[in-house]
Amino acid sequence: MTRKITFKKGNKAQYKRKILYAYLFLIMIYTIIVIVLHSVQELNQSRVQTDMRNNFYFNKITDDIDYKINTLFNVARSLPSNEFVRQYSEEGQNYYAITKVCQKLGEELDVFTNLNSKIYLNKIGEDLFIMPNQTATLKRIFPKSNLSSEDLTNLHDYFVNQKIWQKKEPIYIRNKEQLIYIFNLKINMKNDLLCFLVFDKKDILPTLSEDVKEIFTIYDGSELLNYNSNIVTDEKELSILDNNKKEFYKYQKKSNTELRWNYVYYVNKNHKYISPIFIFGYIIITILGIVLAVIWSKIVYRPIKRTIYSIKENPQFEIEGNEFDLITTEVNQMKFEKKSLEQKVKENNEIVRKRNINRIIHGLFTEADSKRLDIRLNINTQEPCLSIVLQLKELLSDDSRVINIHNIYNELNYTLDTNDMKEKFESIEINANRIGLIINEDKIDKISILLKNFIIGIEERCGMNIIASFGSTVTDVFEIEQSYKTAIKILEYQFAFNKIIITESDISGFDDSFYYPLEVEQNLINLSLAGKQEEVLQVMDYLLEENLQLRTLSADVLSQFIFAVAGTLNRVISKVSGIDNKFKEDIKYAYLELKMCNTKQQLGNKIKEIFMETLECIKKNNVIEEFKHIDNIIDYINLNFHKDLSLTDLAEKFNLSAGYVGIIFKKSQGINFKDYINTLKVRKAKEIMNSNREIKIKDLSNDLGFNSTNTFIRIFKKYEGVSPGTYKDTLK
């Protein structure tokens, strides 16, 4: 059934309009960007110039203030070098010296007048103040400062009592109109003068322009000393300016004088707008861009238009949306269907291929089947090949072990793939315990090395014991069943070897007549490690009866049985950590000792004797390990008795179970863990009270790690018969 493509009403040529809108949008964005960039550039240039001008003005006025103040201080600091000043400091009420000092200060009157400041000298201990060309008393020169005679005495004490190496900080006295700066003039080792520098607040600040909104402030640290402004009328409004960075520039600078003032200058920002000429130019550019967008959208749409007409000729269905939606929908649908089909075919082929490989291993797939069915193998089916089987030494039964063998299978494939063997082997999971491989005979040397390293790596990282067997070589891959059966048969001899890989040549000298299955050996190892002596003897009696009494073994087969038993002993010892090295060396010679037995009865007794010695050694080793654990636990408790310890805390600390810790603790100490902790804390409490009889019971309870004071009192009374308070009273 054929169906033509038709667009829903109103959708025709939508993509053409979208192209036009896109170009118009780009033109508008371009125009806006040009306007913004130009505006930003103009504003930035204006701001830079304004900032430079303001900064220059700020530095100029602050440098002028600093110069005047420094000059004032230089005059004041030079006074101690004047002979009349020194004479006045030494003699006090020497009117000649006082007159000369007044004249000296009068000579420098211009310096003080320039900043509208005053200077007063006062000899410590007197009420007379010397100033340019005259003298006065305290009340006359400081009527508004609230500076009393008592305050003057305190100032004298403050400066006179200083050590030679100490430097007393000057003192500020401030009122609404004046700033008074008081410091000490050191005349000589015995005499000092107090110097008072008085500034009028209004004369310190510079004159501001009426055309510009600006504020000039002076701070002493964070304290506002004075300000001049044509914007604000209240000091509280000044704090708003710091947060108003959009409207005001802020400049600040530290005074380069002894006063350590901070100058801060705020000035209003002047905004410059874009010229109308530039706006007209931007309009012309926008109009030209619109015309170019219309022309270019028609050119771009031509190939899309031809594509739409070609798609309309094909049988399709009605579609909503624009012309580009139609193209996108069709292409995406074809891609999706192609990928889905490829994935399904790949998955199906792989399932069939793995099933056929499994059938080949078990002899259910013949060469005739391969001609009828297209099975692609990674090996050469016409050359000699063999099978390899990897098996876990422990039997697997639960789901977690199935997951383990699956992970090993994936890692094995990855290892072989990354070592340039991807096209030279076939692998398959046979069951929950085994993995099978098929390789050509010429690759056996390389894959032997890879498998050996792979198995060692798995054992080191995962603690899983894996053994591999190589089956016999067959001439054709479709005879691989024989090689697989040989590999399975070889695995039955794994207990007799301490090897990772076993081949057919390794078991060529064995006779199958002695009995020692894998399950029995694994059970014997587990019972030995658990220290179950009676169960071990039962298994040994069963093995010895089966092989030494019910069967008649040749000398070679008997030697093989002895070798297998010695291998079991070595595997038991290898699984026990911390066992005596001498005993390990003795076990290595167990095979020779057993070979020297002359009769079967002597052999059986010797095997039992060696196993019992091994069990006893394991038992002693476990006892030693218990003592090591308990010593470490006791040391830890003695160091941390002030904490609220529990069996769970100790178990986590030493990587043991809480039940095991409790058992070995009771076994070694004769009391349970709780009683030991309580007894230790009570003993420590008595020691602390003996050394510190003033300690409070609550503080002692907290120091010993008790949850509450009541718990401490109850436990102390339980073990001592009296409360801790009563015990402390007996010490007094």
Side-chain angles (χ1 to χ4, degrees):
M1 179 178 173
T2 60
R3 290 173 292 174
K4 291 186 178 181
I5 295 176
T6 58
F7 285 94
K8 292 286 186 180
K9 186 177 180 180
N11 290 333
K12 193 172 183 179
Q14 278 192 9
Y15 190 65
K16 180 179 180 180
R17 290 196 296 272
K18 287 185 178 181
I19 294 175
L20 176 60
Y21 296 156
Y23 281 114
L24 290 175
F25 177 75
L26 291 176
I27 293 296
M28 295 301 296
I29 291 297
Y30 172 77
T31 304
I32 292 172
I33 291 174
V34 171
I35 293 173
V36 170
L37 291 178
H38 178 77
S39 302
V40 169
Q41 183 179 7
E42 288 290 318
L43 289 174
N44 285 339
Q45 289 179 355
S46 175
R47 287 169 182 168
V48 170
Q49 293 174 359
T50 303
D51 182 65
M52 292 176 61
R53 183 170 60 253
N54 293 337
N55 196 40
F56 175 79
Y57 171 73
F58 176 63
N59 287 327
K60 182 178 180 302
I61 60 177
T62 54
D63 290 345
D64 184 55
I65 294 173
D66 285 350
Y67 172 75
K68 293 177 180 179
I69 293 175
N70 282 328
T71 303
L72 184 62
F73 272 95
N74 290 336
V75 171
R77 295 296 184 186
S78 66
L79 292 176
S81 63
N82 185 275
E83 62 175 327
F84 298 107
V85 173
R86 291 197 302 271
Q87 185 177 354
Y88 166 65
S89 67
E90 294 171 356
E91 299 177 4
Q93 299 291 338
N94 185 331
Y95 294 103
Y96 178 75
I98 292 173
T99 303
K100 288 298 184 180
V101 173
C102 290
Q103 293 177 357
K104 172 62 178 175
L105 295 178
E107 293 174 1
E108 306 293 344
L109 185 61
D110 291 341
V111 174
F112 302 105
T113 305
N114 192 25
L115 197 59
N116 200 12
S117 59
K118 303 178 182 64
I119 183 170
Y120 307 115
L121 294 179
N122 173 254
K123 179 175 173 58
I124 295 176
E126 297 182 1
D127 190 40
L128 181 68
F129 284 79
I130 301 176
M131 51 187 174
N133 299 323
Q134 61 179 317
T135 60
T137 61
L138 175 65
K139 291 298 180 180
R140 178 184 172 190
I141 62 174
F142 297 120
K144 298 181 181 181
S145 65
N146 296 325
L147 187 65
S148 63
S149 299
E150 184 180 352
D151 295 331
L152 189 61
T153 302
N154 293 333
L155 289 173
H156 293 166
D157 294 339
Y158 174 77
F159 287 108
V160 170
N161 292 334
Q162 65 175 327
K163 303 297 183 181
I164 296 176
W165 60 87
Q166 292 178 333
K167 182 179 180 181
K168 293 290 185 177
E169 293 294 329
I171 296 175
Y172 269 117
I173 298 177
R174 188 175 86 241
N175 55 40
K176 292 184 178 181
E177 298 178 357
Q178 293 179 327
L179 293 174
I180 304 172
Y181 186 76
I182 307 171
F183 59 94
N184 185 35
L185 286 177
K186 196 74 175 177
I187 306 301
N188 50 44
M189 298 294 291
K190 295 182 179 181
N191 298 292
D192 300 85
L193 291 178
L194 289 181
C195 184
F196 293 74
L197 293 181
V198 183
F199 303 93
D200 286 339
K201 284 187 175 182
K202 62 181 180 179
D203 295 320
I204 298 175
L205 299 171
T207 302
L208 300 181
S209 172
E210 296 181 357
D211 300 331
V212 181
K213 295 181 179 180
E214 53 187 347
I215 305 171
F216 190 89
T217 61
I218 299 178
Y219 290 88
D220 181 19
S222 61
E223 182 181 4
L224 178 66
L225 295 180
N226 201 9
Y227 73 96
N228 192 6
S229 171
N230 54 19
I231 303 174
V232 299
T233 58
D234 190 356
E235 292 184 9
K236 295 180 180 179
E237 299 179 19
L238 291 175
S239 59
I240 303 176
L241 296 178
D242 281 331
N243 301 322
N244 196 1
K245 297 180 180 179
K246 293 183 178 180
E247 295 186 13
F248 289 91
Y249 294 106
K250 179 181 178 181
Y251 305 91
Q252 56 186 10
K253 179 181 178 182
K254 287 188 176 182
S255 173
N256 190 24
T257 66
E258 292 187 29
L259 297 180
R260 295 177 295 180
W261 288 347
N262 290 323
Y263 303 120
V264 182
Y265 177 55
Y266 299 93
V267 60
N268 184 250
K269 295 181 179 179
N270 294 320
H271 299 286
K272 182 178 179 181
Y273 298 96
I274 302 174
S275 172
I277 298 176
F278 287 105
I279 296 177
F280 179 75
Y282 296 146
I283 294 174
I284 297 300
I285 294 174
T286 303
I287 294 173
L288 291 176
I290 293 173
V291 174
L292 290 175
V294 173
I295 297 172
W296 188 248
S297 63
K298 290 183 178 180
I299 296 173
V300 172
Y301 186 72
R302 286 174 186 171
I304 298 174
K305 185 176 181 180
R306 289 195 294 267
T307 303
I308 291 297
Y309 287 152
S310 65
I311 292 177
K312 280 186 176 182
E313 296 175 358
N314 298 326
Q316 283 292 338
F317 51 87
E318 188 175 1
I319 184 172
E320 294 185 5
N322 58 46
E323 49 273 63
F324 195 69
D325 290 337
L326 172 63
I327 298 173
T328 303
T329 301
E330 291 300 311
V331 172
N332 289 339
Q333 183 65 25
M334 288 186 288
K335 287 182 179 179
F336 175 76
E337 292 176 356
K338 179 176 178 293
K339 288 182 179 179
S340 298
L341 182 60
E342 289 177 349
Q343 184 65 26
K344 289 180 180 179
V345 171
K346 183 178 179 181
E347 292 175 356
N348 185 65
N349 289 341
E350 186 63 20
I351 293 172
V352 173
R353 201 175 73 85
K354 290 296 183 183
R355 186 186 301 122
N356 289 333
I357 294 173
N358 200 5
R359 292 175 61 193
I360 291 173
I361 288 178
H362 292 89
L364 303 176
F365 198 90
T366 63
E367 189 172 0
D369 293 330
S370 68
K371 294 178 180 179
R372 182 174 55 86
L373 301 173
D374 184 18
I375 176 172
R376 299 178 181 179
L377 301 177
N378 291 332
I379 63 173
N380 191 337
T381 59
Q382 304 302 321
E383 292 184 1
C385 57
L386 71 153
S387 66
I388 302 174
V389 177
L390 281 75
Q391 178 173 294
L392 293 178
K393 288 186 178 181
E394 293 83 2
L395 292 177
L396 304 179
S397 59
D398 57 23
D399 293 339
S400 62
R401 292 177 177 177
V402 173
I403 294 175
N404 285 336
I405 199 69
H406 181 70
N407 293 339
I408 293 172
Y409 171 75
N410 292 333
E411 190 166 346
L412 175 63
N413 280 314
Y414 175 77
T415 301
L416 296 176
D417 287 348
T418 54
N419 285 276
D420 197 25
M421 293 290 290
K422 184 175 182 180
E423 306 298 331
K424 301 171 184 178
F425 77 96
E426 285 291 350
S427 63
I428 186 173
E429 286 186 61
I430 298 173
N431 54 41
N433 297 309
R434 293 173 182 167
I435 299 172
L437 297 176
I438 304 175
I439 65 167
N440 288 118
E441 186 181 27
D442 59 338
K443 306 297 186 302
I444 190 170
D445 293 334
K446 183 175 181 179
I447 202 168
S448 296
I449 297 173
L450 291 176
L451 283 179
K452 184 175 181 180
N453 295 331
F454 172 76
I455 293 172
I456 292 173
I458 289 293
E459 290 180 353
E460 291 177 351
R461 286 184 283 109
C462 306
M464 303 178 68
N465 295 324
I466 302 175
I467 191 168
S469 63
F470 284 42
S472 57
T473 303
V474 294
T475 57
D476 192 272
V477 72
F478 299 104
E479 299 174 1
I480 201 69
E481 177 192 12
Q482 177 183 348
S483 177
Y484 172 70
K485 290 180 178 179
T486 305
I488 296 299
K489 190 68 176 177
I490 291 172
L491 288 175
E492 297 178 3
Y493 293 87
Q494 61 177 291
F495 59 84
F497 298 94
N498 190 20
K499 299 176 64 176
I500 295 175
I501 298 175
I502 307 174
T503 63
E504 192 175 15
S505 61
D506 292 326
I507 65 168
S508 58
F510 273 81
D511 193 317
D512 291 338
S513 59
F514 77 85
Y515 175 80
Y516 198 8
L518 173 63
E519 295 86 350
V520 175
E521 184 199 32
Q522 188 63 49
N523 187 33
L524 185 60
I525 292 174
N526 293 336
L527 292 173
S528 299
L529 293 174
K532 298 181 179 181
Q533 184 173 340
E534 293 182 4
E535 287 85 344
V536 170
L537 287 175
Q538 290 177 3
V539 175
M540 288 305 307
D541 289 338
Y542 174 74
L543 278 176
L544 294 175
E545 180 182 6
E546 183 70 27
N547 290 286
L548 301 183
Q549 297 179 18
L550 300 180
R551 301 188 183 209
T552 303
L553 303 180
S554 64
D556 290 338
V557 175
L558 183 61
S559 178
Q560 295 169 10
F561 173 71
I562 293 172
F563 185 81
V565 173
T568 301
L569 284 168
N570 282 316
R571 279 187 282 278
V572 171
I573 295 301
S574 66
K575 292 180 179 292
V576 181
S577 61
I579 204 163
D580 183 60
N581 291 329
K582 183 178 181 303
F583 186 79
K584 288 184 179 180
E585 292 296 323
D586 293 339
I587 288 297
K588 291 182 180 179
Y589 298 102
Y591 175 76
L592 297 177
E593 291 183 29
L594 296 175
K595 285 284 291 181
M596 295 174 64
C597 296
N598 297 322
T599 64
K600 292 183 178 181
Q601 183 177 0
Q602 186 180 1
L603 175 62
N605 293 336
K606 190 65 176 177
I607 290 175
K608 291 182 181 180
E609 178 184 346
I610 294 175
F611 263 93
M612 292 304 103
E613 290 176 359
T614 303
L615 292 177
E616 188 64 24
C617 183
I618 293 173
K619 183 178 179 181
K620 291 180 180 179
N621 182 72
N622 291 339
V623 172
I624 293 172
E625 289 296 316
E626 287 182 4
F627 277 113
K628 289 181 180 178
H629 287 317
I630 201 64
D631 288 341
N632 292 335
I633 290 172
I634 293 298
D635 291 340
Y636 182 79
I637 291 174
N638 289 336
L639 290 174
N640 298 275
F641 68 91
H642 57 281
K643 298 179 181 178
D644 188 15
L645 296 175
S646 65
L647 283 175
T648 304
D649 297 332
L650 297 176
E652 291 178 355
K653 172 68 179 177
F654 297 97
N655 197 22
L656 303 169
S657 68
Y660 177 74
V661 173
I663 291 172
I664 64 174
F665 199 97
K666 180 70 178 291
K667 184 177 178 181
S668 63
Q669 301 300 314
I671 59 176
N672 60 37
F673 168 78
K674 184 176 180 181
D675 287 337
Y676 181 88
I677 285 289
N678 290 336
T679 302
L680 177 62
K681 290 188 175 184
V682 169
R683 187 172 71 250
K684 293 291 184 181
K686 291 166 64 178
E687 292 175 2
I688 293 173
M689 285 189 288
N690 283 328
S691 61
N692 182 11
R693 299 179 182 179
E694 301 299 325
I695 190 170
K696 295 181 180 179
I697 300 301
K698 182 179 180 180
D699 295 338
L700 182 58
S701 172
N702 293 334
D703 293 343
L704 294 173
F706 284 97
N707 294 328
S708 67
T709 305
N710 291 335
T711 303
F712 168 57
I713 294 172
R714 177 174 52 80
I715 291 176
F716 190 96
K717 189 172 183 179
K718 176 182 176 182
Y719 289 91
E720 292 297 320
V722 294
S723 65
T726 304
Y727 178 85
K728 189 170 68 168
D729 292 338
T730 61
L731 297 177
K732 295 180 181 179

